[in-house]
């Protein structure tokens, strides 16, 4: 039996490259000297596509792959894939949910702790020799215990964050489009939640519907002791409004793992002392990335052997 042809536009984790090369005929577009010519020559053979989000999977690319059946995305967020265009063409799209929840939740709590307790700034103080020269790092204004946390996007990762936040003795509420059967207060309105909490943690997917949900009004509602943490997608927060709110101390501080135009982070944000900035490392440990890679390969394998995707996001 001929092996299904799988296209990989950009290089992915070794687990995916090796797993695909073992089971399928792998077309490595990133190695081609003329990618357009390779697509024109091999496009009709391609039945599967593996992507890590660094290369947009849009209608223009899908049109070059008339026999494509499945797009397997590395990552639970699949905003670089035009799912509507895929669905119109009868193409199933899969992601990697579940295997990264704990890692991302751990990172979110670490980012929150760093932001509230100024841990990054304190470490830089020591490394600059200022402890010995100037004495103790100043006491932080804020503390974790008793903070009121509002989670925007109480899904798989949001729930893992909520459980951790409870052990930090924070009160937890959330805003989704629909209420869930969970022991946390539901806010039908994001603005209403922002008015009621002092800590807003963003973990919704990036999409047209979530773009700039966190705007100047929501930030102002958080108040002067307000802390924003974004581990979801950069597009959910109006970055210019956030920079303004941090500069004017409309909110106290922000901890960010994601940005509107990655990997470009505005100089203004980098220069702010009340922002903790991580380079999109939410799920970035070797064990978790291996588990994500295995799920990409398993989705493709299951589709081509049983006609069933393990974790589809459409259909
Ligand atoms: P889930 O699908 O399990 O949860 C998403 C939640 O967001 C749901 O509860 C959903 O509830 C809510 N939601 C979706 N759209 C809206 C909206 N328009 N308004 C309000 N709430 C909304 O996803 P995961 O928890 O698995 O992942 C969440 C996101 O985290 C990913 O999509 C990704 O962007 C990001 N992520 C970031 C990582 C990083 O490295 N920083 C790593 C992994 C994920 P409802 O449908 O009821 O609205």
């Amino acid at each position: 039996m001929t092996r299904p042809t799988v296209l990989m536009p950009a290089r992915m984790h070794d687990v995916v490259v090796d797993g695909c090369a073992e089971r399928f005929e792998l077309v490595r577009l990133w190695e081609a000297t003329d990618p357009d010519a390779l697509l024109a020559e091999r496009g009709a053979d391609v039945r599967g596509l593996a992507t890590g989000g660094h290369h947009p999977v849009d209608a223009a690319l899908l049109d070059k792959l008339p026999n494509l059946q499945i797009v397997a995305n590395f990552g639970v967020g699949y905003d670089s894939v035009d799912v509507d265009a895929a669905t119109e063409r009868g193409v199933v799209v899969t992601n990697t949910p579940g295997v990264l929840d704990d890692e991302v939740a751990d990172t979110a709590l670490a980012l929150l702790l760093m932001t509230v307790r100024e841990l990054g700034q304190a470490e830089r103080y020591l490394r600059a020799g200022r402890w010995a020269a100037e004495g103790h790092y100043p006491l932080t204004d804020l503390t974790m215990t008793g903070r009121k946390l509002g989670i925007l996007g109480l899904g798989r990762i949001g729930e893992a964050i909520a459980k951790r936040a409870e052990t930090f003795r924070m009160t937890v509420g959330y805003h989704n489009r629909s209420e869930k059967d969970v022991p946390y207060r539901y806010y039908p309105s994001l603005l209403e939640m922002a008015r009621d909490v002092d800590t807003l943690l963003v973990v919704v997917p990036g999409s047209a519907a979530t773009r700039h949900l966190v705007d100047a009004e929501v930030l102002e509602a958080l108040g002067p002791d307000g802390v924003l943490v974004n581990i979801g997608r950069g597009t959910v927060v109006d970055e210019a409004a956030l920079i303004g709110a941090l500069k004017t101390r409309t909110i106290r501080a922000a901890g960010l793992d994601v940005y509107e135009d990655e990997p470009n982070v505005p100089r203004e944000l980098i220069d702010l002392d009340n922002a903790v900035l991580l380079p999109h490392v939410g799920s970035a440990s070797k064990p978790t990335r291996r588990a994500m890679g295995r799920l990409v390969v398993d989705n493709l394998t299951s589709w081509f052997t049983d006609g069933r995707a393990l974790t589809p996001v459409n259909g």
Side-chain angles (χ1 to χ4, degrees):
M1 199 182 88
T2 55
R3 300 196 302 171
T5 301
V6 169
L7 175 73
M8 197 176 288
R11 192 184 165 85
M12 294 175 70
H13 192 289
D14 282 350
V15 166
V16 188
V17 177
D18 296 346
C20 285
E22 221 172 79
R23 294 172 173 80
F24 315 116
E25 191 212 348
L26 182 61
V27 177
R28 302 165 198 243
L29 195 63
W30 78 90
E31 285 181 354
T33 43
D34 186 346
D36 289 334
L38 181 62
L39 272 183
E41 184 195 327
R42 299 299 315 276
D45 301 333
V46 170
R47 291 167 61 200
L49 187 150
T51 177
H54 301 298
H55 193 287
V57 179
D58 52 16
L61 177 59
L62 295 174
D63 285 341
K64 292 175 185 157
L65 311 170
N67 297 311
L68 184 68
Q69 299 171 8
I70 179 170
V71 173
N73 183 71
F74 181 94
V76 71
Y78 46 87
D79 34 315
S80 64
V81 179
D82 185 338
V83 178
D84 290 340
T87 307
E88 275 167 25
R89 290 159 180 77
V91 174
V92 67
V93 178
T94 63
N95 66 344
T96 59
V99 293
L100 43 62
D101 296 352
D102 286 332
E103 199 75 70
V104 182
D106 289 348
T107 312
L109 261 296
L111 190 51
L112 181 56
L113 269 168
M114 284 178 75
T115 307
V116 168
R117 295 297 326 289
E118 303 176 15
L119 299 178
Q121 295 93 320
E123 202 218 19
R124 286 197 293 281
Y125 184 88
L126 179 150
R127 287 183 188 276
R130 295 179 63 188
W131 187 16
E134 300 172 35
H136 289 297
Y137 182 81
L139 305 183
T140 61
D141 289 334
L142 307 180
T143 181
M144 286 280 278
T145 306
R147 288 192 76 81
K148 286 186 86 174
L149 176 67
I151 298 177
L152 169 54
L154 192 84
R156 289 170 294 249
I157 300 170
E159 283 203 46
I161 291 170
K163 286 201 185 80
R164 285 158 173 75
E166 284 183 283
T167 68
F168 279 90
R169 293 167 53 201
M170 304 174 84
T171 56
V172 180
Y174 71 102
H175 168 69
N176 282 355
R177 288 165 301 187
S178 48
E179 188 169 1
K180 295 178 81 166
D181 183 18
V182 288
Y184 310 119
R185 176 168 173 190
Y186 175 62
Y187 293 88
S189 149
L190 171 60
L191 189 58
E192 185 199 330
M193 180 168 82
R195 286 199 188 106
D196 202 38
V197 302
D198 54 26
T199 309
L200 179 61
L201 201 150
V202 177
V203 63
V204 273
S207 71
T210 59
R211 186 178 158 73
H212 287 191
L213 272 184
V214 178
D215 57 11
E217 194 182 11
V218 168
L219 293 169
E220 196 175 348
L222 272 181
D225 276 342
V227 168
L228 172 80
V229 169
N230 188 4
I231 193 109
R233 279 293 180 266
T235 52
V236 182
V237 176
D238 179 340
E239 210 160 79
L242 174 63
I243 292 168
L246 288 169
K247 275 187 177 165
T248 55
R249 304 274 163 171
T250 302
I251 65 168
R252 187 71 183 70
L256 308 174
D257 188 45
V258 289
Y259 307 86
E260 283 204 59
D261 178 30
E262 296 178 13
N264 305 307
V265 178
R267 186 75 242 171
E268 279 179 293
L269 209 43
I270 291 174
D271 288 342
L272 283 168
D273 65 353
N274 53 345
V276 176
L277 308 174
L278 298 182
H280 202 147
V281 292
S283 67
S285 75
K286 287 181 178 174
T288 295
R289 290 288 169 88
R290 277 197 295 270
M292 291 163 63
R294 280 194 294 272
L295 189 48
V296 171
V297 178
D298 289 349
N299 262 302
L300 290 164
T301 306
S302 174
W303 178 261
F304 290 122
T305 51
D306 304 334
R308 193 179 64 88
L310 300 178
T311 50
V313 301
N314 60 346

